[in-house]
Amino acid sequence: MFWKSEAGLGSPDFQILQAVLSPGDAVKIGLPAGGWTLIGNVVQPKSRGRIHLTGRDPADPVQIEANYLSDPDDRKAVFACLELCRETGNSSALRPYVSREVIPHNLERPELENYIRGTAFSFWHQTSTAKMGRDAMSVVDGDLRVYGIKNLRIADGSVMPRVTTGNTMAPCVIIGERAAQILRIEHKW
């Protein structure tokens, strides 16, 4: 489900997924072995992380600072998401499938904030690190060419000017198809 934390937003800012966890995974996070969960995430985060090189050797690892929920709007969206997850999970329609809410249960606001920070994770849909456009922050042009470097193009989710509302697989397929079309035309294949 895609939903808005505020009615006035132009598009949804969070997503909720239902998941049945394996008994081992459920126990690791404090759920009963037969439990299920609603998992929410911010779909157009304003928080920005950083990737740093740790050395000159291409094999050197990178340092990643995810910086999840650093923007107040993202925290607002995640709280609205959590409230909707709890309302949905505890609804009368789901009562036959729910014996009780296990986590986060009845936490007060400070403890709830700690719970959210401690359980936040990525949905692995990072995009927009080499965005397409014409402004100073853009990396590629409309033909996927990297500005300032000859014969180099980027054709993946990093060229999206902003994070998509939904999952990233379909837009990545379109970017790949467009790259193939550009190369066919340019090289007369």
Side-chain angles (χ1 to χ4, degrees):
M1 163 175 47
F2 291 95
W3 208 256
K4 299 177 185 179
S5 61
E6 293 180 13
L9 293 176
S11 63
D13 59 347
F14 66 83
Q15 174 184 20
I16 298 173
L17 306 163
Q18 186 272 332
V20 176
L21 303 173
S22 71
D25 287 340
V27 171
K28 284 179 194 173
I29 62 170
L31 290 174
W36 59 274
T37 186
L38 294 173
I39 302 171
N41 72 303
V42 178
V43 293
Q44 290 189 3
K46 295 180 180 176
S47 300
R48 295 293 178 254
R50 292 174 182 76
I51 300 174
H52 301 278
L53 300 176
T54 61
R56 292 176 179 241
D57 186 330
D60 287 341
V62 294
Q63 177 186 358
I64 300 172
E65 296 174 20
N67 218 17
Y68 297 136
L69 305 176
S70 61
D71 188 281
D73 288 343
D74 292 349
R75 291 192 299 275
K76 184 176 174 183
V78 82
F79 273 102
C81 181
L82 179 61
E83 287 174 14
L84 185 55
C85 283
R86 293 177 87 183
E87 180 183 334
T88 303
N90 292 310
S91 68
S92 60
L94 292 179
R95 185 60 45 212
Y97 311 103
V98 177
S99 59
R100 70 188 193 291
E101 179 180 325
V102 177
I103 52 175
H105 202 49
N106 294 325
L107 299 177
E108 296 297 324
R109 182 71 181 219
E111 291 83 18
L112 195 54
E113 287 178 14
N114 288 335
Y115 167 78
I116 289 170
R117 287 186 190 285
T119 57
F121 65 95
S122 170
F123 272 49
W124 306 282
H125 294 170
Q126 292 85 348
T127 63
S128 311
T129 57
K131 77 173 196 154
M132 180 186 301
R134 295 184 182 148
D135 64 8
M137 293 298 294
S138 296
V139 176
V140 299
D141 66 16
D143 285 329
L144 305 171
R145 291 182 295 240
V146 175
Y147 288 118
I149 301 176
K150 285 187 175 193
N151 300 319
L152 180 62
R153 295 179 198 260
I154 300 175
D156 61 23
S158 65
V159 303
M160 293 183 210
R162 69 175 182 87
V163 178
T164 61
T165 299
N167 296 349
T168 58
M169 186 267 190
C172 287
V173 168
I174 299 300
I175 292 165
E177 290 289 329
R178 179 67 179 130
Q181 181 183 44
I182 290 167
L183 292 173
R184 270 195 307 270
I185 290 168
E186 187 174 302
H187 296 284
K188 298 176 178 59
W189 291 342

